[in-house]
Amino acid sequence: MSSPERTELLVLEGVLTADQVARTVQGVLAVQRPDGAIPWFRRHHLDPWDHTEAAMALDVAGEHEAAERAYDWLARHQNEDGSWYAAYHDGDPRDVTDRGRESNFVAYVAVGVWHHYLSTGDDAFLDRMWPTVCAAVAWVLRLQQPGGQIGWKREDDGTPVNDALLTGSSSVHHALRCALAIADQREEPQPDWELAVGSLRHAIRRHPDRFLDKNHYSMDWYYPVLGGALRGAEAKERIESDWDRFVVPGLGVRCVVPNPWVTGGESAELALALWAMGESDRALTILQDIQHLRDPKTGLYWTGYVFEDRAIWPEELTAWTAGSVLLAVAALGGDEATCSVFGGEALPGGVEPDCCG
């Protein structure tokens, strides 16, 4: 159960009071199924990435047993090849609604497992999940291209889609570093993973032409920072370059330009990226700006808001949006596990090639 100490950690001026923290945590728990699955919302679908994000939020709230059930769900339903499907109806593994398998969805289990371990210190959990993480990483790396970028997915029939997405590859970069941290903790060196993450980071930093052009999406803007491939001056330059394109003062972050639509998940993730850059003040402002998306009854957050029409859209309260808010608040509040996972200084960096030296 959530402790008063954990609740206090998530209190943030202008964002969440202690009562609101408790309501949001209960809102996420109410979405979780008895088998551990966390769909977007009840009677909707689950995807492995957002499921993991919601589980991480439960850990920052001290709901470690609920988070562990979420990871056990992933372990039980991992495909034999190491992947997961892109979507399951309300978390039911018998009802797969998208049989594609996306690389960043598969990789993200490593981020969640490492975060849970840092939150609990549970060596038995890490031992139990190690084969799951290894199988997932092996599946993802089979999609890595000669230039370092990660192919987007495999179709239902197994055909690889080798085109790479910058957002997805940046998320995979983060996941591979967490997988390396797990390997280091277990004293099981993975030199191939080190080379893979270094090559991927080099592609993100130096070769934008290796990724599909999706620069009208805000995630392509901030994810190289959030995923840890860019830090320092490179990160600051990237964020400053498109701040005015994507940030709507007082409302949050656009999902896509030029659409007049701000979204809670993208806004909270940008706040987390800003925190990782050392810009906590701007991160706090973003989190304060999106509180208009909060539903006071459930404690959850609406996915987005069309500001030209002054309308919530779509009309859905998603566990993962609440999860992203709680993770950003946890980082600002100094939660050690969250700071370690998203700050990046404590994560292995791999070996970056010097092909452009």
Side-chain angles (χ1 to χ4, degrees), residues 28 37-41 44-57 70-71 74 86 104-105 108 219 223 265 269 318-321 323-324 327:
V28 176
I38 310 176
W40 286 22
F41 50 90
H44 195 58
H45 78 252
L46 171 152
D47 74 71
W49 199 103
D50 290 310
H51 165 92
T52 299
E53 184 174 51
M56 293 169 69
Y71 295 117
L74 287 172
N104 64 307
F105 282 14
Y108 208 62
M219 295 205 316
Y223 241 93
E269 287 181 341
T318 44
W320 54 267
T321 301
S324 67
L327 285 169

PDB file of all heavy atoms in Angstrom, residues 28 37-41 44-57 70-71 74 86 104-105 108 219 223 265 269 318-321 323-324 327:
ATOM      1  N   VAL A  28      -5.289   4.654 -11.002  1.00  0.00           N
ATOM      2  CA  VAL A  28      -4.514   3.695 -11.789  1.00  0.00           C
ATOM      3  C   VAL A  28      -4.779   2.273 -11.305  1.00  0.00           C
ATOM      4  O   VAL A  28      -4.967   1.349 -12.110  1.00  0.00           O
ATOM      5  CB  VAL A  28      -3.010   4.027 -11.720  1.00  0.00           C
ATOM      6  CG1 VAL A  28      -2.193   2.973 -12.462  1.00  0.00           C
ATOM      7  CG2 VAL A  28      -2.734   5.406 -12.308  1.00  0.00           C
ATOM      8  N   ALA A  37      -2.666  -7.002 -15.566  1.00  0.00           N
ATOM      9  CA  ALA A  37      -2.658  -6.185 -16.775  1.00  0.00           C
ATOM     10  C   ALA A  37      -3.204  -4.787 -16.495  1.00  0.00           C
ATOM     11  O   ALA A  37      -4.158  -4.622 -15.734  1.00  0.00           O
ATOM     12  CB  ALA A  37      -3.491  -6.854 -17.863  1.00  0.00           C
ATOM     13  N   ILE A  38      -2.587  -3.786 -17.142  1.00  0.00           N
ATOM     14  CA  ILE A  38      -3.051  -2.399 -16.998  1.00  0.00           C
ATOM     15  C   ILE A  38      -3.389  -1.863 -18.385  1.00  0.00           C
ATOM     16  O   ILE A  38      -2.522  -1.353 -19.107  1.00  0.00           O
ATOM     17  CB  ILE A  38      -1.993  -1.505 -16.327  1.00  0.00           C
ATOM     18  CG1 ILE A  38      -1.467  -2.143 -15.039  1.00  0.00           C
ATOM     19  CG2 ILE A  38      -2.601  -0.123 -16.015  1.00  0.00           C
ATOM     20  CD1 ILE A  38      -0.358  -1.368 -14.371  1.00  0.00           C
ATOM     21  N   PRO A  39      -4.646  -1.975 -18.792  1.00  0.00           N
ATOM     22  CA  PRO A  39      -5.040  -1.411 -20.092  1.00  0.00           C
ATOM     23  C   PRO A  39      -5.070   0.112 -20.028  1.00  0.00           C
ATOM     24  O   PRO A  39      -4.896   0.713 -18.961  1.00  0.00           O
ATOM     25  CB  PRO A  39      -6.443  -1.992 -20.297  1.00  0.00           C
ATOM     26  CG  PRO A  39      -6.953  -2.224 -18.915  1.00  0.00           C
ATOM     27  CD  PRO A  39      -5.760  -2.605 -18.084  1.00  0.00           C
ATOM     28  N   TRP A  40      -5.299   0.732 -21.170  1.00  0.00           N
ATOM     29  CA  TRP A  40      -5.435   2.190 -21.179  1.00  0.00           C
ATOM     30  C   TRP A  40      -6.540   2.607 -20.223  1.00  0.00           C
ATOM     31  O   TRP A  40      -6.380   3.522 -19.432  1.00  0.00           O
ATOM     32  CB  TRP A  40      -5.773   2.681 -22.587  1.00  0.00           C
ATOM     33  CG  TRP A  40      -4.649   2.664 -23.561  1.00  0.00           C
ATOM     34  CD1 TRP A  40      -3.513   1.913 -23.506  1.00  0.00           C
ATOM     35  CD2 TRP A  40      -4.566   3.455 -24.744  1.00  0.00           C
ATOM     36  NE1 TRP A  40      -2.725   2.182 -24.595  1.00  0.00           N
ATOM     37  CE2 TRP A  40      -3.344   3.111 -25.364  1.00  0.00           C
ATOM     38  CE3 TRP A  40      -5.395   4.394 -25.344  1.00  0.00           C
ATOM     39  CZ2 TRP A  40      -2.938   3.708 -26.565  1.00  0.00           C
ATOM     40  CZ3 TRP A  40      -5.005   4.978 -26.541  1.00  0.00           C
ATOM     41  CH2 TRP A  40      -3.787   4.647 -27.145  1.00  0.00           C
ATOM     42  N   PHE A  41      -7.667   1.971 -20.354  1.00  0.00           N
ATOM     43  CA  PHE A  41      -8.787   2.088 -19.420  1.00  0.00           C
ATOM     44  C   PHE A  41      -9.623   0.843 -19.611  1.00  0.00           C
ATOM     45  O   PHE A  41      -9.435   0.100 -20.574  1.00  0.00           O
ATOM     46  CB  PHE A  41      -9.604   3.374 -19.646  1.00  0.00           C
ATOM     47  CG  PHE A  41     -10.034   3.623 -21.068  1.00  0.00           C
ATOM     48  CD1 PHE A  41     -11.243   3.137 -21.565  1.00  0.00           C
ATOM     49  CD2 PHE A  41      -9.231   4.366 -21.941  1.00  0.00           C
ATOM     50  CE1 PHE A  41     -11.632   3.371 -22.869  1.00  0.00           C
ATOM     51  CE2 PHE A  41      -9.620   4.609 -23.257  1.00  0.00           C
ATOM     52  CZ  PHE A  41     -10.818   4.111 -23.723  1.00  0.00           C
ATOM     53  N   HIS A  44     -10.891  -1.232 -22.881  1.00  0.00           N
ATOM     54  CA  HIS A  44     -10.109  -0.754 -24.017  1.00  0.00           C
ATOM     55  C   HIS A  44      -8.929  -1.720 -24.187  1.00  0.00           C
ATOM     56  O   HIS A  44      -8.984  -2.846 -23.706  1.00  0.00           O
ATOM     57  CB  HIS A  44      -9.635   0.677 -23.764  1.00  0.00           C
ATOM     58  CG  HIS A  44      -9.132   1.382 -24.996  1.00  0.00           C
ATOM     59  ND1 HIS A  44      -9.916   1.563 -26.111  1.00  0.00           N
ATOM     60  CD2 HIS A  44      -7.929   1.945 -25.285  1.00  0.00           C
ATOM     61  CE1 HIS A  44      -9.224   2.214 -27.029  1.00  0.00           C
ATOM     62  NE2 HIS A  44      -8.008   2.450 -26.553  1.00  0.00           N
ATOM     63  N   HIS A  45      -7.874  -1.289 -24.858  1.00  0.00           N
ATOM     64  CA  HIS A  45      -6.768  -2.209 -25.093  1.00  0.00           C
ATOM     65  C   HIS A  45      -5.569  -1.918 -24.201  1.00  0.00           C
ATOM     66  O   HIS A  45      -5.444  -0.839 -23.619  1.00  0.00           O
ATOM     67  CB  HIS A  45      -6.375  -2.223 -26.573  1.00  0.00           C
ATOM     68  CG  HIS A  45      -5.556  -1.053 -27.019  1.00  0.00           C
ATOM     69  ND1 HIS A  45      -6.051  -0.058 -27.821  1.00  0.00           N
ATOM     70  CD2 HIS A  45      -4.254  -0.720 -26.792  1.00  0.00           C
ATOM     71  CE1 HIS A  45      -5.110   0.822 -28.073  1.00  0.00           C
ATOM     72  NE2 HIS A  45      -4.006   0.449 -27.459  1.00  0.00           N
ATOM     73  N   LEU A  46      -4.687  -2.899 -24.124  1.00  0.00           N
ATOM     74  CA  LEU A  46      -3.402  -2.771 -23.456  1.00  0.00           C
ATOM     75  C   LEU A  46      -2.310  -2.816 -24.507  1.00  0.00           C
ATOM     76  O   LEU A  46      -2.385  -3.607 -25.442  1.00  0.00           O
ATOM     77  CB  LEU A  46      -3.210  -3.923 -22.466  1.00  0.00           C
ATOM     78  CG  LEU A  46      -1.847  -4.121 -21.795  1.00  0.00           C
ATOM     79  CD1 LEU A  46      -2.034  -4.795 -20.448  1.00  0.00           C
ATOM     80  CD2 LEU A  46      -0.882  -4.972 -22.641  1.00  0.00           C
ATOM     81  N   ASP A  47      -1.302  -1.954 -24.371  1.00  0.00           N
ATOM     82  CA  ASP A  47      -0.076  -2.146 -25.131  1.00  0.00           C
ATOM     83  C   ASP A  47       1.070  -2.255 -24.127  1.00  0.00           C
ATOM     84  O   ASP A  47       1.005  -1.682 -23.037  1.00  0.00           O
ATOM     85  CB  ASP A  47       0.151  -1.028 -26.151  1.00  0.00           C
ATOM     86  CG  ASP A  47       0.589   0.284 -25.519  1.00  0.00           C
ATOM     87  OD1 ASP A  47       1.738   0.359 -25.038  1.00  0.00           O
ATOM     88  OD2 ASP A  47      -0.219   1.230 -25.498  1.00  0.00           O
ATOM     89  N   PRO A  48       2.120  -3.020 -24.454  1.00  0.00           N
ATOM     90  CA  PRO A  48       3.159  -3.313 -23.462  1.00  0.00           C
ATOM     91  C   PRO A  48       3.902  -2.087 -22.954  1.00  0.00           C
ATOM     92  O   PRO A  48       4.343  -2.066 -21.799  1.00  0.00           O
ATOM     93  CB  PRO A  48       4.107  -4.262 -24.209  1.00  0.00           C
ATOM     94  CG  PRO A  48       3.283  -4.861 -25.298  1.00  0.00           C
ATOM     95  CD  PRO A  48       2.313  -3.796 -25.693  1.00  0.00           C
ATOM     96  N   TRP A  49       4.078  -1.057 -23.789  1.00  0.00           N
ATOM     97  CA  TRP A  49       4.812   0.134 -23.370  1.00  0.00           C
ATOM     98  C   TRP A  49       4.021   0.910 -22.312  1.00  0.00           C
ATOM     99  O   TRP A  49       4.535   1.226 -21.237  1.00  0.00           O
ATOM    100  CB  TRP A  49       5.092   1.020 -24.589  1.00  0.00           C
ATOM    101  CG  TRP A  49       6.206   2.018 -24.387  1.00  0.00           C
ATOM    102  CD1 TRP A  49       7.475   1.923 -24.871  1.00  0.00           C
ATOM    103  CD2 TRP A  49       6.137   3.252 -23.663  1.00  0.00           C
ATOM    104  NE1 TRP A  49       8.205   3.023 -24.488  1.00  0.00           N
ATOM    105  CE2 TRP A  49       7.415   3.849 -23.749  1.00  0.00           C
ATOM    106  CE3 TRP A  49       5.138   3.900 -22.945  1.00  0.00           C
ATOM    107  CZ2 TRP A  49       7.716   5.073 -23.145  1.00  0.00           C
ATOM    108  CZ3 TRP A  49       5.426   5.117 -22.334  1.00  0.00           C
ATOM    109  CH2 TRP A  49       6.707   5.697 -22.444  1.00  0.00           C
ATOM    110  N   ASP A  50       2.768   1.218 -22.613  1.00  0.00           N
ATOM    111  CA  ASP A  50       1.975   2.006 -21.675  1.00  0.00           C
ATOM    112  C   ASP A  50       1.645   1.218 -20.411  1.00  0.00           C
ATOM    113  O   ASP A  50       1.534   1.797 -19.320  1.00  0.00           O
ATOM    114  CB  ASP A  50       0.704   2.499 -22.364  1.00  0.00           C
ATOM    115  CG  ASP A  50       0.997   3.563 -23.420  1.00  0.00           C
ATOM    116  OD1 ASP A  50       1.721   4.519 -23.098  1.00  0.00           O
ATOM    117  OD2 ASP A  50       0.525   3.424 -24.557  1.00  0.00           O
ATOM    118  N   HIS A  51       1.476  -0.078 -20.543  1.00  0.00           N
ATOM    119  CA  HIS A  51       1.317  -0.957 -19.390  1.00  0.00           C
ATOM    120  C   HIS A  51       2.514  -0.803 -18.443  1.00  0.00           C
ATOM    121  O   HIS A  51       2.351  -0.667 -17.222  1.00  0.00           O
ATOM    122  CB  HIS A  51       1.190  -2.394 -19.902  1.00  0.00           C
ATOM    123  CG  HIS A  51       1.365  -3.464 -18.889  1.00  0.00           C
ATOM    124  ND1 HIS A  51       0.316  -4.014 -18.182  1.00  0.00           N
ATOM    125  CD2 HIS A  51       2.481  -4.131 -18.476  1.00  0.00           C
ATOM    126  CE1 HIS A  51       0.773  -4.957 -17.376  1.00  0.00           C
ATOM    127  NE2 HIS A  51       2.087  -5.047 -17.544  1.00  0.00           N
ATOM    128  N   THR A  52       3.712  -0.792 -19.017  1.00  0.00           N
ATOM    129  CA  THR A  52       4.923  -0.664 -18.205  1.00  0.00           C
ATOM    130  C   THR A  52       5.024   0.710 -17.566  1.00  0.00           C
ATOM    131  O   THR A  52       5.404   0.837 -16.394  1.00  0.00           O
ATOM    132  CB  THR A  52       6.160  -0.951 -19.078  1.00  0.00           C
ATOM    133  OG1 THR A  52       6.071  -2.290 -19.586  1.00  0.00           O
ATOM    134  CG2 THR A  52       7.448  -0.783 -18.298  1.00  0.00           C
ATOM    135  N   GLU A  53       4.675   1.756 -18.301  1.00  0.00           N
ATOM    136  CA  GLU A  53       4.714   3.104 -17.734  1.00  0.00           C
ATOM    137  C   GLU A  53       3.789   3.221 -16.526  1.00  0.00           C
ATOM    138  O   GLU A  53       4.159   3.806 -15.494  1.00  0.00           O
ATOM    139  CB  GLU A  53       4.340   4.136 -18.787  1.00  0.00           C
ATOM    140  CG  GLU A  53       4.444   5.575 -18.288  1.00  0.00           C
ATOM    141  CD  GLU A  53       4.213   6.587 -19.390  1.00  0.00           C
ATOM    142  OE1 GLU A  53       3.202   6.478 -20.107  1.00  0.00           O
ATOM    143  OE2 GLU A  53       5.063   7.478 -19.548  1.00  0.00           O
ATOM    144  N   ALA A  54       2.603   2.649 -16.627  1.00  0.00           N
ATOM    145  CA  ALA A  54       1.668   2.687 -15.508  1.00  0.00           C
ATOM    146  C   ALA A  54       2.214   1.887 -14.324  1.00  0.00           C
ATOM    147  O   ALA A  54       2.056   2.289 -13.163  1.00  0.00           O
ATOM    148  CB  ALA A  54       0.313   2.146 -15.941  1.00  0.00           C
ATOM    149  N   ALA A  55       2.870   0.752 -14.605  1.00  0.00           N
ATOM    150  CA  ALA A  55       3.463  -0.041 -13.521  1.00  0.00           C
ATOM    151  C   ALA A  55       4.556   0.737 -12.808  1.00  0.00           C
ATOM    152  O   ALA A  55       4.679   0.683 -11.574  1.00  0.00           O
ATOM    153  CB  ALA A  55       4.016  -1.346 -14.087  1.00  0.00           C
ATOM    154  N   MET A  56       5.350   1.480 -13.554  1.00  0.00           N
ATOM    155  CA  MET A  56       6.397   2.299 -12.937  1.00  0.00           C
ATOM    156  C   MET A  56       5.793   3.361 -12.030  1.00  0.00           C
ATOM    157  O   MET A  56       6.329   3.665 -10.949  1.00  0.00           O
ATOM    158  CB  MET A  56       7.257   2.940 -14.025  1.00  0.00           C
ATOM    159  CG  MET A  56       8.074   1.941 -14.819  1.00  0.00           C
ATOM    160  SD  MET A  56       8.849   2.663 -16.300  1.00  0.00           S
ATOM    161  CE  MET A  56      10.057   3.731 -15.549  1.00  0.00           C
ATOM    162  N   ALA A  57       4.677   3.923 -12.434  1.00  0.00           N
ATOM    163  CA  ALA A  57       4.010   4.912 -11.595  1.00  0.00           C
ATOM    164  C   ALA A  57       3.526   4.288 -10.287  1.00  0.00           C
ATOM    165  O   ALA A  57       3.571   4.928  -9.227  1.00  0.00           O
ATOM    166  CB  ALA A  57       2.842   5.533 -12.353  1.00  0.00           C
ATOM    167  N   ALA A  70       2.084  -6.518 -12.561  1.00  0.00           N
ATOM    168  CA  ALA A  70       2.125  -6.039 -13.944  1.00  0.00           C
ATOM    169  C   ALA A  70       3.305  -6.655 -14.696  1.00  0.00           C
ATOM    170  O   ALA A  70       3.171  -7.061 -15.864  1.00  0.00           O
ATOM    171  CB  ALA A  70       2.220  -4.517 -13.975  1.00  0.00           C
ATOM    172  N   TYR A  71       4.456  -6.750 -14.052  1.00  0.00           N
ATOM    173  CA  TYR A  71       5.611  -7.346 -14.716  1.00  0.00           C
ATOM    174  C   TYR A  71       5.451  -8.857 -14.864  1.00  0.00           C
ATOM    175  O   TYR A  71       5.873  -9.435 -15.874  1.00  0.00           O
ATOM    176  CB  TYR A  71       6.890  -6.990 -13.960  1.00  0.00           C
ATOM    177  CG  TYR A  71       7.163  -5.511 -14.017  1.00  0.00           C
ATOM    178  CD1 TYR A  71       7.179  -4.733 -12.861  1.00  0.00           C
ATOM    179  CD2 TYR A  71       7.343  -4.866 -15.237  1.00  0.00           C
ATOM    180  CE1 TYR A  71       7.388  -3.365 -12.918  1.00  0.00           C
ATOM    181  CE2 TYR A  71       7.548  -3.499 -15.311  1.00  0.00           C
ATOM    182  CZ  TYR A  71       7.569  -2.752 -14.149  1.00  0.00           C
ATOM    183  OH  TYR A  71       7.762  -1.395 -14.219  1.00  0.00           O
ATOM    184  N   LEU A  74       3.581  -9.514 -17.976  1.00  0.00           N
ATOM    185  CA  LEU A  74       4.430  -9.490 -19.161  1.00  0.00           C
ATOM    186  C   LEU A  74       5.216 -10.788 -19.302  1.00  0.00           C
ATOM    187  O   LEU A  74       5.319 -11.341 -20.405  1.00  0.00           O
ATOM    188  CB  LEU A  74       5.395  -8.307 -19.088  1.00  0.00           C
ATOM    189  CG  LEU A  74       4.800  -6.919 -19.322  1.00  0.00           C
ATOM    190  CD1 LEU A  74       5.833  -5.840 -19.028  1.00  0.00           C
ATOM    191  CD2 LEU A  74       4.269  -6.765 -20.745  1.00  0.00           C
ATOM    192  N   ALA A  86       1.357  -5.795 -30.249  1.00  0.00           N
ATOM    193  CA  ALA A  86       1.203  -4.353 -30.050  1.00  0.00           C
ATOM    194  C   ALA A  86      -0.029  -3.993 -29.243  1.00  0.00           C
ATOM    195  O   ALA A  86      -0.049  -2.940 -28.591  1.00  0.00           O
ATOM    196  CB  ALA A  86       1.160  -3.642 -31.407  1.00  0.00           C
ATOM    197  N   ASN A 104      10.052  -0.692 -29.883  1.00  0.00           N
ATOM    198  CA  ASN A 104      10.132   0.062 -28.632  1.00  0.00           C
ATOM    199  C   ASN A 104       9.173  -0.493 -27.586  1.00  0.00           C
ATOM    200  O   ASN A 104       9.449  -0.443 -26.385  1.00  0.00           O
ATOM    201  CB  ASN A 104       9.882   1.555 -28.868  1.00  0.00           C
ATOM    202  CG  ASN A 104       8.496   1.864 -29.379  1.00  0.00           C
ATOM    203  OD1 ASN A 104       8.059   1.277 -30.373  1.00  0.00           O
ATOM    204  ND2 ASN A 104       7.791   2.774 -28.731  1.00  0.00           N
ATOM    205  N   PHE A 105       8.038  -1.052 -28.012  1.00  0.00           N
ATOM    206  CA  PHE A 105       7.120  -1.690 -27.071  1.00  0.00           C
ATOM    207  C   PHE A 105       7.800  -2.883 -26.391  1.00  0.00           C
ATOM    208  O   PHE A 105       7.646  -3.099 -25.193  1.00  0.00           O
ATOM    209  CB  PHE A 105       5.871  -2.190 -27.799  1.00  0.00           C
ATOM    210  CG  PHE A 105       4.858  -1.128 -28.141  1.00  0.00           C
ATOM    211  CD1 PHE A 105       5.161   0.209 -28.070  1.00  0.00           C
ATOM    212  CD2 PHE A 105       3.592  -1.497 -28.565  1.00  0.00           C
ATOM    213  CE1 PHE A 105       4.225   1.182 -28.393  1.00  0.00           C
ATOM    214  CE2 PHE A 105       2.631  -0.544 -28.880  1.00  0.00           C
ATOM    215  CZ  PHE A 105       2.950   0.801 -28.799  1.00  0.00           C
ATOM    216  N   TYR A 108      10.834  -1.931 -23.837  1.00  0.00           N
ATOM    217  CA  TYR A 108      10.611  -1.087 -22.658  1.00  0.00           C
ATOM    218  C   TYR A 108      10.497  -1.876 -21.357  1.00  0.00           C
ATOM    219  O   TYR A 108      10.627  -1.308 -20.274  1.00  0.00           O
ATOM    220  CB  TYR A 108       9.377  -0.208 -22.859  1.00  0.00           C
ATOM    221  CG  TYR A 108       9.443   1.086 -22.078  1.00  0.00           C
ATOM    222  CD1 TYR A 108      10.454   2.015 -22.347  1.00  0.00           C
ATOM    223  CD2 TYR A 108       8.538   1.381 -21.080  1.00  0.00           C
ATOM    224  CE1 TYR A 108      10.534   3.205 -21.636  1.00  0.00           C
ATOM    225  CE2 TYR A 108       8.616   2.567 -20.360  1.00  0.00           C
ATOM    226  CZ  TYR A 108       9.620   3.471 -20.641  1.00  0.00           C
ATOM    227  OH  TYR A 108       9.704   4.645 -19.936  1.00  0.00           O
ATOM    228  N   MET A 219       6.971  14.218 -30.006  1.00  0.00           N
ATOM    229  CA  MET A 219       7.794  13.158 -29.430  1.00  0.00           C
ATOM    230  C   MET A 219       9.133  13.044 -30.155  1.00  0.00           C
ATOM    231  O   MET A 219      10.155  12.751 -29.524  1.00  0.00           O
ATOM    232  CB  MET A 219       7.051  11.826 -29.429  1.00  0.00           C
ATOM    233  CG  MET A 219       5.832  11.842 -28.527  1.00  0.00           C
ATOM    234  SD  MET A 219       5.299  10.235 -27.891  1.00  0.00           S
ATOM    235  CE  MET A 219       5.391   9.194 -29.280  1.00  0.00           C
ATOM    236  N   TYR A 223      12.166  13.267 -27.534  1.00  0.00           N
ATOM    237  CA  TYR A 223      12.524  11.911 -27.121  1.00  0.00           C
ATOM    238  C   TYR A 223      14.021  11.609 -27.171  1.00  0.00           C
ATOM    239  O   TYR A 223      14.532  10.837 -26.347  1.00  0.00           O
ATOM    240  CB  TYR A 223      11.736  10.858 -27.899  1.00  0.00           C
ATOM    241  CG  TYR A 223      10.891  10.034 -26.951  1.00  0.00           C
ATOM    242  CD1 TYR A 223       9.576  10.380 -26.697  1.00  0.00           C
ATOM    243  CD2 TYR A 223      11.425   8.944 -26.255  1.00  0.00           C
ATOM    244  CE1 TYR A 223       8.808   9.675 -25.791  1.00  0.00           C
ATOM    245  CE2 TYR A 223      10.668   8.225 -25.357  1.00  0.00           C
ATOM    246  CZ  TYR A 223       9.363   8.597 -25.123  1.00  0.00           C
ATOM    247  OH  TYR A 223       8.622   7.902 -24.223  1.00  0.00           O
ATOM    248  N   GLY A 265       0.142  13.161 -21.904  1.00  0.00           N
ATOM    249  CA  GLY A 265       1.298  12.281 -21.901  1.00  0.00           C
ATOM    250  C   GLY A 265       2.532  12.952 -22.460  1.00  0.00           C
ATOM    251  O   GLY A 265       3.616  12.901 -21.857  1.00  0.00           O
ATOM    252  N   GLU A 269       5.927  13.907 -20.331  1.00  0.00           N
ATOM    253  CA  GLU A 269       7.220  13.382 -20.777  1.00  0.00           C
ATOM    254  C   GLU A 269       8.204  14.507 -21.071  1.00  0.00           C
ATOM    255  O   GLU A 269       9.403  14.387 -20.770  1.00  0.00           O
ATOM    256  CB  GLU A 269       7.033  12.498 -22.003  1.00  0.00           C
ATOM    257  CG  GLU A 269       6.397  11.161 -21.696  1.00  0.00           C
ATOM    258  CD  GLU A 269       6.257  10.291 -22.930  1.00  0.00           C
ATOM    259  OE1 GLU A 269       6.317  10.821 -24.066  1.00  0.00           O
ATOM    260  OE2 GLU A 269       6.099   9.075 -22.760  1.00  0.00           O
ATOM    261  N   THR A 318      -6.856   7.912 -19.341  1.00  0.00           N
ATOM    262  CA  THR A 318      -5.921   6.817 -19.553  1.00  0.00           C
ATOM    263  C   THR A 318      -4.965   6.654 -18.367  1.00  0.00           C
ATOM    264  O   THR A 318      -4.401   7.627 -17.860  1.00  0.00           O
ATOM    265  CB  THR A 318      -5.119   7.049 -20.839  1.00  0.00           C
ATOM    266  OG1 THR A 318      -4.687   8.418 -20.890  1.00  0.00           O
ATOM    267  CG2 THR A 318      -5.967   6.765 -22.056  1.00  0.00           C
ATOM    268  N   ALA A 319      -4.750   5.383 -18.000  1.00  0.00           N
ATOM    269  CA  ALA A 319      -3.833   5.076 -16.902  1.00  0.00           C
ATOM    270  C   ALA A 319      -2.421   5.536 -17.226  1.00  0.00           C
ATOM    271  O   ALA A 319      -1.675   5.986 -16.336  1.00  0.00           O
ATOM    272  CB  ALA A 319      -3.857   3.577 -16.620  1.00  0.00           C
ATOM    273  N   TRP A 320      -2.031   5.431 -18.503  1.00  0.00           N
ATOM    274  CA  TRP A 320      -0.664   5.805 -18.851  1.00  0.00           C
ATOM    275  C   TRP A 320      -0.439   7.313 -18.784  1.00  0.00           C
ATOM    276  O   TRP A 320       0.680   7.754 -18.497  1.00  0.00           O
ATOM    277  CB  TRP A 320      -0.262   5.255 -20.217  1.00  0.00           C
ATOM    278  CG  TRP A 320      -1.168   5.581 -21.361  1.00  0.00           C
ATOM    279  CD1 TRP A 320      -2.198   4.833 -21.835  1.00  0.00           C
ATOM    280  CD2 TRP A 320      -1.119   6.744 -22.192  1.00  0.00           C
ATOM    281  NE1 TRP A 320      -2.793   5.441 -22.905  1.00  0.00           N
ATOM    282  CE2 TRP A 320      -2.150   6.617 -23.150  1.00  0.00           C
ATOM    283  CE3 TRP A 320      -0.296   7.875 -22.219  1.00  0.00           C
ATOM    284  CZ2 TRP A 320      -2.385   7.592 -24.112  1.00  0.00           C
ATOM    285  CZ3 TRP A 320      -0.527   8.847 -23.191  1.00  0.00           C
ATOM    286  CH2 TRP A 320      -1.567   8.698 -24.124  1.00  0.00           C
ATOM    287  N   THR A 321      -1.472   8.112 -19.058  1.00  0.00           N
ATOM    288  CA  THR A 321      -1.295   9.560 -18.906  1.00  0.00           C
ATOM    289  C   THR A 321      -1.068   9.897 -17.440  1.00  0.00           C
ATOM    290  O   THR A 321      -0.160  10.664 -17.098  1.00  0.00           O
ATOM    291  CB  THR A 321      -2.508  10.322 -19.452  1.00  0.00           C
ATOM    292  OG1 THR A 321      -2.688  10.009 -20.835  1.00  0.00           O
ATOM    293  CG2 THR A 321      -2.315  11.825 -19.317  1.00  0.00           C
ATOM    294  N   GLY A 323       0.131   7.878 -15.307  1.00  0.00           N
ATOM    295  CA  GLY A 323       1.444   7.337 -14.999  1.00  0.00           C
ATOM    296  C   GLY A 323       2.566   8.278 -15.375  1.00  0.00           C
ATOM    297  O   GLY A 323       3.529   8.463 -14.621  1.00  0.00           O
ATOM    298  N   SER A 324       2.463   8.902 -16.541  1.00  0.00           N
ATOM    299  CA  SER A 324       3.510   9.827 -16.972  1.00  0.00           C
ATOM    300  C   SER A 324       3.592  11.040 -16.052  1.00  0.00           C
ATOM    301  O   SER A 324       4.689  11.544 -15.767  1.00  0.00           O
ATOM    302  CB  SER A 324       3.269  10.259 -18.421  1.00  0.00           C
ATOM    303  OG  SER A 324       2.095  11.041 -18.549  1.00  0.00           O
ATOM    304  N   LEU A 327       5.333   9.921 -12.781  1.00  0.00           N
ATOM    305  CA  LEU A 327       6.773   9.739 -12.970  1.00  0.00           C
ATOM    306  C   LEU A 327       7.501  11.083 -13.029  1.00  0.00           C
ATOM    307  O   LEU A 327       8.577  11.241 -12.434  1.00  0.00           O
ATOM    308  CB  LEU A 327       7.046   8.933 -14.235  1.00  0.00           C
ATOM    309  CG  LEU A 327       6.764   7.433 -14.136  1.00  0.00           C
ATOM    310  CD1 LEU A 327       6.805   6.788 -15.515  1.00  0.00           C
ATOM    311  CD2 LEU A 327       7.767   6.750 -13.210  1.00  0.00           C
TER     312      LEU A 327
END
